[in-house]
Amino acid sequence: IFTSIYGVVDGLFISNVVKGNAFASVNLIMPAIMIIGTIGFMFGTGGSAMISKTLGEGDQEKANRYFSMLIYLEIISGIIFTIIGLLILKPVAILLKATEDMLPACLTYGRILLIGMTAFILQNSFQSFLVAAEKPGFGLIISIISGVTNMILDFLFIYVFKWGVAGAAIATIISQLVGAIIPMVYFIRKNKSPLRIGKTKFELSPILKTCANGSSEMVTNLSMSLVNILFNMQLMDLVGANGVSAYGIIMYVGFLFVGTYVGYSVGSAPITSYHYGAGNKEELKSLLKKSLKLLGATAIVMTLLAEIFAKPLASIFVSYDKELLDLTINALRLYSLSYIVSWFNIYASSFFTALNDGFVSALISFVRTLVFQVIVILILPKIIGINGIWLSVLVAEILSLIVSLI
């Protein structure tokens, strides 16, 4: 949730201070950049499940060896993907239908974020590893420090120094560095957790197991980015840059609501993995039952709040443009209906990851975030027009619910 909040602040400053096509440009290129960041989710969730299970089995030395290996692997991967990303960014922006006046902002924002990609990958994974290390409170503190850093720098770089989208991107990567370096230093030094970064060796089997087990979270985030790209391309054809801006606002607001489900699912996963490794089946059943009740009740509240506050939330971003405001309010109200269903699919996928069942977890994620959404978004707008885009996620979530229940 805190990670989502400082993402929202980025959008607020860009939309209200920079204005013009800057907000649409950032939202057009962002999904392409996030595709690379999915590696962090894969290593974090898949690795923490394997490490927690290993700790539950009582082998701390092996858990530390695996943990260190995955951190080093993330650093190497981050550097490689930064180089690749910088080389292909311009052709990608053009492919995403960036207009001539949008292209400079797309490239400026994208290039700066790519430079900080290693920090972004580490920050994402450390949130899961800190839970596995029995330090979830420390993870929250780091998120808050990162978020506050980002918000303060957004104000300075965008509002005071007038650096535009470059200021937003620089503020973001500095906050990511904070979120990566603090836990890195903590784990390198002697600490009170069961995990520490030290000497290791690269072992293919645990790497493949981590990738397979974390593939569902990677698929989820990768698919979300690909679907966001498809959304933006459809919207550019139907309503132009205004549609991309409206969808960007939905994504920022959605981070806060769906972030509640994701945060709980990721936060509870290492606990599930530990009890699975220790063979505590009754505790696992209890965790599942209580989690479903808690998230189900939360979903009702979240959906009601999203519907009630659609107008105020949209106004925060685009009160300066009535046409865009009306478009965004309608889009928010239709899209927010998906929150009543999505919680179950998110938790189901995470629960199977925690049980080290990467196949079932990946299957749920794949059909939910890619297969059903792509099919629906290509068909529904042709039947009911622009509202078909905003309702496509709800239809896809309902179809995915059937798979998750089975």
Side-chain angles (χ1 to χ4, degrees), residues 30 39 96 127 143 210 315 322 387:
M30 177 70 84
I39 298 165
L96 297 180
Q127 284 302 314
S143 288
T210 294
S315 299
K322 189 179 185 304
N387 285 342

Side-chain angles (χ1 to χ4, degrees), residues 91-343:
V92 167
I94 294 169
L95 184 67
L96 297 180
K97 301 187 178 181
T99 58
E100 280 189 28
D101 56 338
M102 293 171 70
L103 192 59
C106 285
L107 296 179
T108 298
Y109 192 77
R111 282 167 180 162
I112 295 171
L113 283 192
L114 282 167
I115 291 168
M117 187 51 64
T118 301
F120 181 59
I121 291 171
L122 287 169
Q123 182 188 32
N124 285 335
S125 68
F126 273 134
Q127 284 302 314
S128 294
F129 288 134
L130 282 164
V131 178
E134 302 167 21
K135 295 292 178 182
F138 186 38
L140 175 60
I141 290 168
I142 292 168
S143 288
I144 294 171
I145 293 171
S146 298
V148 171
T149 300
N150 194 46
M151 288 185 272
I152 292 171
L153 294 179
D154 269 338
F155 175 76
L156 284 174
F157 296 165
I158 302 173
Y159 187 77
V160 179
F161 298 160
K162 307 295 183 185
W163 289 355
V165 294
I170 293 167
T172 298
I173 66 168
I174 291 174
S175 70
Q176 289 167 354
L177 282 167
V178 170
I181 291 171
I182 293 175
M184 177 73 80
V185 171
Y186 174 79
F187 283 121
I188 288 173
R189 299 174 63 189
K190 285 185 179 180
N191 60 73
K192 295 180 180 179
S193 82
L195 296 179
R196 190 178 174 195
I197 297 172
K199 291 181 179 180
T200 187
K201 59 181 179 179
F202 283 92
E203 301 174 60
L204 186 59
S205 178
I207 291 173
L208 293 176
K209 189 171 183 180
T210 294
C211 293
N213 200 34
S215 61
S216 59
E217 275 62 34
M218 183 178 180
V219 166
T220 299
N221 289 280
L222 181 64
S223 300
M224 282 169 60
S225 293
L226 292 172
V227 168
N228 287 350
I229 288 169
L230 184 57
F231 261 95
N232 287 335
M233 292 174 77
Q234 288 274 72
L235 287 164
M236 284 296 287
D237 288 337
L238 286 169
V239 285
N242 267 5
V244 176
S245 294
Y247 183 59
I249 294 164
I250 289 173
M251 289 296 96
Y252 284 123
V253 172
F255 289 153
L256 296 174
F257 289 93
V258 177
T260 307
Y261 310 150
V262 175
Y264 181 85
S265 300
V266 172
S268 62
I271 302 168
T272 302
S273 297
Y274 182 90
H275 287 294
Y276 176 65
N280 301 330
K281 290 187 179 180
E282 289 305 313
E283 186 65 26
L284 284 174
K285 291 177 183 177
S286 176
L287 276 168
L288 176 60
K289 189 176 180 181
K290 289 173 182 174
S291 295
L292 293 178
K293 286 181 179 178
L294 181 62
L295 283 172
T298 302
I300 295 170
V301 175
M302 287 293 175
T303 307
L304 287 172
L305 287 174
E307 295 297 328
I308 293 167
F309 291 104
K311 186 173 181 179
L313 286 168
S315 299
I316 292 171
F317 287 91
V318 288
S319 58
Y320 56 84
D321 186 328
K322 189 179 185 304
E323 183 185 348
L324 179 53
L325 178 62
D326 291 340
L327 175 68
T328 305
I329 293 168
N330 177 60
L332 270 172
R333 285 183 174 149
L334 294 176
Y335 189 96
S336 296
L337 295 172
S338 65
Y339 302 152
I340 199 73
V341 185
S342 61
W343 67 273

